[in-house]
Amino acid sequence: MRRSNSDLHSNEQPQTRIGMHVPESLRIGSFSHPGGQPLPDGGRIPCLVLRGIWMDRFDLSVGSRVIVEVESKRITLTLDETPIPVPYRYLDHTPRNSRRAADTSIEEAAE
């Protein structure tokens, strides 16, 4: 049964399905320098966090590359569809140690 906000106790938060809906607006937050180094003008670094399961619906899956274009008062994010070569370590191959073991077992079988 769904409860309205007026039915909640003062210390309870309404249940939401986190990350299911596209946000209507975001607030630019800030954080301190990760190394604790003092920064000029108050020492805060502006940041923008964008997350949610809804991103999968727009083909923005985990690991995708995004092109960031910045203009005055506008940030545009575009999916970068340029193919990225897969590093050798992620290709299907037999590791060297396994190949050596396979080579010796073939030699033993030949004898």
Side-chain angles (χ1 to χ4, degrees):
M1 181 175 162
R2 231 176 184 351
R3 296 188 296 182
S4 69
N5 288 346
S6 61
D7 294 340
L8 295 175
H9 295 289
S10 61
N11 61 352
E12 285 186 58
Q13 294 290 325
Q15 290 184 347
T16 59
R17 298 182 68 183
I18 296 176
M20 297 301 288
H21 302 287
V22 178
E24 293 178 6
S25 66
L26 298 170
R27 181 175 302 271
I28 295 177
S30 66
F31 63 95
S32 300
H33 188 279
Q37 302 294 325
L39 296 172
D41 300 328
R44 304 301 285 174
I45 301 170
C47 69
L48 184 65
V49 178
L50 185 64
R51 63 178 160 216
I53 298 170
W54 61 269
M55 296 174 86
D56 279 334
R57 292 187 305 218
F58 295 97
D59 296 326
L60 298 169
S61 56
V62 174
S64 298
R65 290 182 162 266
V66 177
I67 298 169
V68 180
E69 298 171 5
V70 181
E71 301 171 21
S72 179
K73 298 184 181 184
R74 180 182 302 253
I75 299 174
T76 305
L77 303 176
T78 308
L79 182 65
D80 183 4
E81 298 186 75
T82 307
I84 301 169
V86 177
Y88 177 76
R89 66 177 176 232
Y90 295 118
L91 295 176
D92 290 330
H93 66 280
T94 306
R96 291 183 179 176
N97 292 340
S98 297
R99 278 189 266 163
R100 287 186 191 139
D103 290 343
T104 57
S105 62
I106 292 171
E107 291 172 3
E108 292 172 0
E111 294 175 0

